[in-house]
């Protein structure tokens, strides 16, 4: 099993550009989520999904879109990148039931200039 | 809203010193509790978890944590740290709704 795979690992964008961060998991987990990690702020939830076709906003959703067309994939889209979106992004997945742990991808370090 | 507080943002210890990292959460119901570790340049890995039962849980690499319900705390401990424990440690709480809420993290530096 590959677990949770994120691509790319690094990305530099210019302000106003758009891009999609990819996330795929092969554990048949129903629940997937995106976090951003900023120094001194821990991980903050951007969007999450409890299954294919179902998404919802987390703590910091502005400027990001998601979709969940399959159980395996949960891409995160930045429609018009801003310097405030410079961060490290982590995708996570888990079984959608109590008493389960989340598994994290390797992260994407995004810089917006 | 649920929140998680980690008391120290930076901790510096010498090798063989004992470690205790504080974590408090705000939620009155049933919780699942986690400690994750992030080594430099790597992703988050699970150190240990508490779902129910014995409030003293043991994790990997000699770490343990104690759940004290009356204090809403889940402190992480290790009797003797090693240089390889240098990392950032995150406490996280799942208090229903399947949302995992993280603390701000504690950066641990162990001097050899």
């Amino acid at each position: 099993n590959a677990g949770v795979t994120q691509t790319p690992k690094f990305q530099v964008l210019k302000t106003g550009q758009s891009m999609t961060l990819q996330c795929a998991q092969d554990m048949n987990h129903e629940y997937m989520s995106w976090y951003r990690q900023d120094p001194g702020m821990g991980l903050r939830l951007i969007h999450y999904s409890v299954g294919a076709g179902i998404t919802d906003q987390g703590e910091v959703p502005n400027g990001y879109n998601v979709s969940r067309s399959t159980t395996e994939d949960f891409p995160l889209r930045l429609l018009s990148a801003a310097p405030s979106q410079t961060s490290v992004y982590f995708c996570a997945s888990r079984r959608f039931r109590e008493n389960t742990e989340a598994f994290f991808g390797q992260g994407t370090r995004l810089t917006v200039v | 809203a649920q929140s998680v507080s980690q008391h120290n943002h930076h901790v510096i210890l010498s090798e063989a010193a004992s470690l205790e990292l504080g974590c408090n959460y705000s939620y009155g119901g049933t919780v699942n509790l986690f400690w994750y570790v992030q080594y430099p340049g790597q992703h988050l890995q699970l150190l240990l978890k508490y779902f129910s039962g014995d409030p003293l849980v043991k994790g990997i690499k000699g770490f343990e944590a104690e759940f004290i319900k009356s204090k809403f705390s889940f402190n992480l401990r290790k009797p003797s740290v090693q240089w390889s424990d240098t990392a950032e440690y995150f406490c996280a709480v799942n208090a229903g709704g399947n949302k995992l809420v993280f603390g701000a993290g504690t950066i641990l530096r162990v001097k050899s």
Side-chain angles (χ1 to χ4, degrees), chain A residues 21-61:
Chain A
L21 308 185
Q22 301 291 345
C23 175
Q25 52 92 9
D26 61 359
M27 298 174 281
N28 204 30
H29 287 170
E30 301 91 344
Y31 185 87
M32 296 185 74
S33 52
W34 277 101
Y35 291 85
R36 58 177 290 172
Q37 182 184 21
D38 301 291
M41 305 187 76
L43 278 78
R44 292 180 292 169
L45 182 64
I46 305 171
H47 285 285
Y48 65 98
S49 167
V50 300
I54 307 169
T55 64
D56 207 345
Q57 296 180 348
E59 181 186 354
V60 288

Side-chain angles (χ1 to χ4, degrees), chain A residues 31 35 37 40-43 45 48 57 90 94-102 104-106, chain B residues 9 32 34 36 38 42-44 46 49 51 88 90 94 97-105:
Chain A
Y31 185 87
Y35 291 85
Q37 182 184 21
M41 305 187 76
L43 278 78
L45 182 64
Y48 65 98
Q57 296 180 348
F90 287 99
R94 57 185 287 185
R95 295 302 303 272
F96 185 58
R97 61 170 186 241
E98 290 184 358
N99 300 353
T100 61
E101 67 195 70
F104 285 82
Q106 296 280 350
Chain B
H9 189 54
N32 296 157
F34 306 86
Y36 282 86
Q38 185 179 32
Q42 297 191 23
H43 66 296
L44 276 79
L46 184 70
K49 59 193 176 189
F51 294 146
E88 189 161 13
F90 294 94
N94 180 344
N98 272 282
K99 292 185 190 178
L100 201 54
V101 178
F102 283 85

Side-chain angles (χ1 to χ4, degrees), chain B residues 14-93:
Chain B
S14 298
E15 273 192 311
S18 63
L19 169 72
E20 180 158 4
L21 301 183
C23 173
N24 286 91
Y25 61 92
S26 64
Y27 185 73
T30 302
V31 292
N32 296 157
L33 299 159
F34 306 86
W35 276 97
Y36 282 86
V37 61
Q38 185 179 32
Y39 297 104
Q42 297 191 23
H43 66 296
L44 276 79
Q45 303 170 43
L46 184 70
L47 259 187
L48 47 78
K49 59 193 176 189
Y50 173 80
F51 294 146
S52 64
D54 188 344
L56 185 63
V57 293
K58 297 193 183 299
I60 60 171
K61 303 188 181 186
F63 286 90
E64 65 178 30
E66 186 176 13
F67 170 51
I68 303 179
K69 188 175 181 179
S70 60
K71 295 185 178 180
F72 299 91
S73 70
F74 190 55
N75 292 354
L76 180 71
R77 299 195 291 251
K78 185 171 184 179
S80 176
V81 294
Q82 301 172 315
W83 178 81
S84 57
D85 293 325
T86 294
E88 189 161 13
Y89 293 81
F90 294 94
C91 181
V93 175

Side-chain angles (χ1 to χ4, degrees), chain A residues 69-113:
Chain A
S69 56
T70 67
T71 299
E72 293 78 21
D73 300 297
F74 191 45
L76 178 72
R77 296 186 188 84
L78 285 72
L79 298 178
S80 179
S84 61
Q85 294 177 305
T86 293
S87 187
V88 180
Y89 292 85
F90 287 99
C91 178
S93 76
R94 57 185 287 185
R95 295 302 303 272
F96 185 58
R97 61 170 186 241
E98 290 184 358
N99 300 353
T100 61
E101 67 195 70
F103 294 84
F104 285 82
Q106 296 280 350
T108 296
R109 184 174 294 275
L110 175 68
T111 302
V112 183
V113 298

